[in-house]
Amino acid sequence: MKLQRKNGLRATALGALALSGALVLTACGSDDNTAPDSGTKTGAASNIKCDDAKGQLLAAGSTAQKNAMDLWVKNFQAACSGVEVNYQAIGSGGGITKFNQGQVTFAGSDSALKPEEVEESKKICKGGQGINLPMVGGPVAIGYNLDGVDNLVLDAPTLAKIFDSKIKKWNDEAIAKLNPDAKLPDTEIQAFHRSDESGTTQNLHKYLSEASPADWKHDPKSKSWLAPGGQAANGSSGVAAQVKQTQGSIGYFELSYATSQSIDTVKLNTGAATPVEATTENASKAIAAAKVKGTGSDLALSLDYKTKVEGAYPIILVTYEIACDKGNKAETLPTLKAFLNYTVSDEGQKVLAEAGYAPLPAEIAAKVREIVPTLA
């Protein structure tokens, strides 16, 4: 099958390709958790430092990073006995709400805190505030299910019109023009979007708004889906499941949901010479151009959704782990720092390739590593 061949090529490339400004995308990991003789508990072939980590760490948020978080939690708990990290993938909006209500120690969000959310966090972070720590990157894949079409190309204006219910059939002239060799059926488009508040939705909003402002008039800052029509599903997993089982469908979700379920993904005509596929390598090329817009300990990033760089996939997201810079609970602070120290370490970033994510650019990862030990 063509998708399987693509995935095989991508997996091979991950082991060999080093991107400029980004960590090498190689997979590593071990199920052998024999502790060495040093005083720090770690797994064999692992440099996970548990330090004083103990007890339970509660977190919630982004569904886009769930597969990465599952890997991190598995490795960290295997290395650090007596520690439990409980991450609920309930969506970025839900995670931020729980964080600002003091129900979780950190939240995962695919978009940075809004000013009003930072202000609200000061009630929980005594003497401090919530900060954005970028931890994982990757492409937002546009998945589709259309028999006989396995190499679909779309551009920002066409995507905007599809998700805004202005293009309703697969053989529409705009789609046909981008796919002259495809046999497009006279089938109704079934467009799926997130029902919950989501940073993934917000990143798609930002892409469509910046890459095709004439065709997408909805608020790019909204985590809620605003366009009319379409069908809703909960979480990235829910949207992916609907696309997988619905002929004529299209939806958006983090790449790992597409690869794990063998869902075809759209190539984007960005204005570069060749349409760009949703891969971790191509997302890394776009993320490498990100600029830090936050101040102090806050590392919120500015992403370029309009890039036309060859091979740069522009629908990207960076998931932040949101924590208090000061005012963390004393009983969970050591575990929080140990866990985040692992996730942003070289080892923690390298395992992201196993789940179809893009490691942080080296410069940004280095800044996160400087801040995590200062959490108080």
Side-chain angles (χ1 to χ4, degrees), residues 305-336:
Y305 298 97
K306 295 186 292 184
T307 180
K308 295 182 180 180
V309 172
E310 288 297 326
Y313 184 82
I315 315 181
I316 49 177
L317 60 77
V318 171
T319 299
Y320 301 92
E321 311 311 339
I322 295 169
C324 297
D325 58 354
K326 297 177 182 178
N328 289 285
K329 295 179 181 178
E331 60 268 27
T332 56
L333 180 59
T335 308
L336 171 67

Side-chain angles (χ1 to χ4, degrees), residues 19 57 68 109 112 158 179 195 202 210 217 228-229 284 339 348:
L19 295 173
L57 191 64
S109 177
T158 307
N179 300 273
S195 61
Q202 187 184 54
E210 293 188 23
K217 302 296 185 180
S284 289
F339 182 67

Side-chain angles (χ1 to χ4, degrees), residues 23-33 40-50 68 71-80 135 338-355 359-360 365 369:
L23 297 170
V24 178
L25 300 178
T26 55
C28 69
S30 172
D31 291 327
D32 182 351
N33 300 304
T40 302
K41 295 175 290 181
T42 67
S46 168
N47 294 313
I48 297 176
K49 295 181 179 179
C50 305
L71 267 178
W72 284 332
V73 169
K74 175 186 175 183
N75 294 344
F76 188 73
Q77 290 182 166
C80 305
M135 200 62 69
F339 182 67
L340 295 183
N341 274 327
Y342 161 58
T343 61
V344 78
S345 68
D346 282 341
E347 183 173 355
Q349 289 292 297
K350 285 177 181 177
V351 301
L352 292 176
E354 296 178 21
L360 294 174
R369 289 177 196 137

Side-chain angles (χ1 to χ4, degrees), residues 145-292:
N145 184 345
L146 194 61
D147 283 347
V149 181
D150 60 1
N151 194 25
L152 185 67
V153 176
L154 297 175
D155 58 13
T158 307
L159 268 178
K161 292 171 186 173
I162 288 173
F163 282 117
D164 208 21
S165 298
K166 293 176 181 175
I167 291 179
K168 299 183 177 181
K169 291 207 171 182
W170 280 109
N171 63 348
D172 186 274
E173 182 180 354
I175 301 176
K177 185 177 180 180
L178 291 164
N179 300 273
D181 298 325
K183 295 181 179 179
L184 298 168
D186 182 26
T187 303
E188 292 284 342
I189 296 174
Q190 306 292 326
F192 286 91
H193 57 264
R194 291 280 290 273
S195 61
D196 53 321
E197 285 199 341
S198 162
T200 309
T201 293
Q202 187 184 54
N203 280 279
L204 179 60
H205 280 166
K206 288 179 178 178
Y207 164 73
L208 294 174
S209 179
E210 293 188 23
S212 188
D215 301 296
W216 193 257
K217 302 296 185 180
H218 306 291
D219 182 6
K221 296 181 181 179
S222 176
K223 292 187 180 74
S224 298
W225 187 256
L226 301 176
Q231 301 176 61
N234 187 63
S236 292
S237 59
V239 175
Q242 290 298 323
V243 172
K244 175 71 174 179
Q245 69 186 22
T246 306
Q247 180 61 208
S249 62
I250 189 169
Y252 60 95
F253 31 80
E254 195 278 327
L255 179 63
S256 66
Y257 292 94
T259 55
S260 65
Q261 298 187 50
S262 298
I263 297 172
D264 286 325
T265 60
V266 168
K267 291 183 178 179
L268 291 177
N269 181 338
T270 64
T274 305
V276 186
E277 187 177 356
T279 68
T280 55
E281 306 98 292
N282 294 342
S284 289
K285 291 178 182 178
I287 294 171
K291 305 295 182 184
V292 175

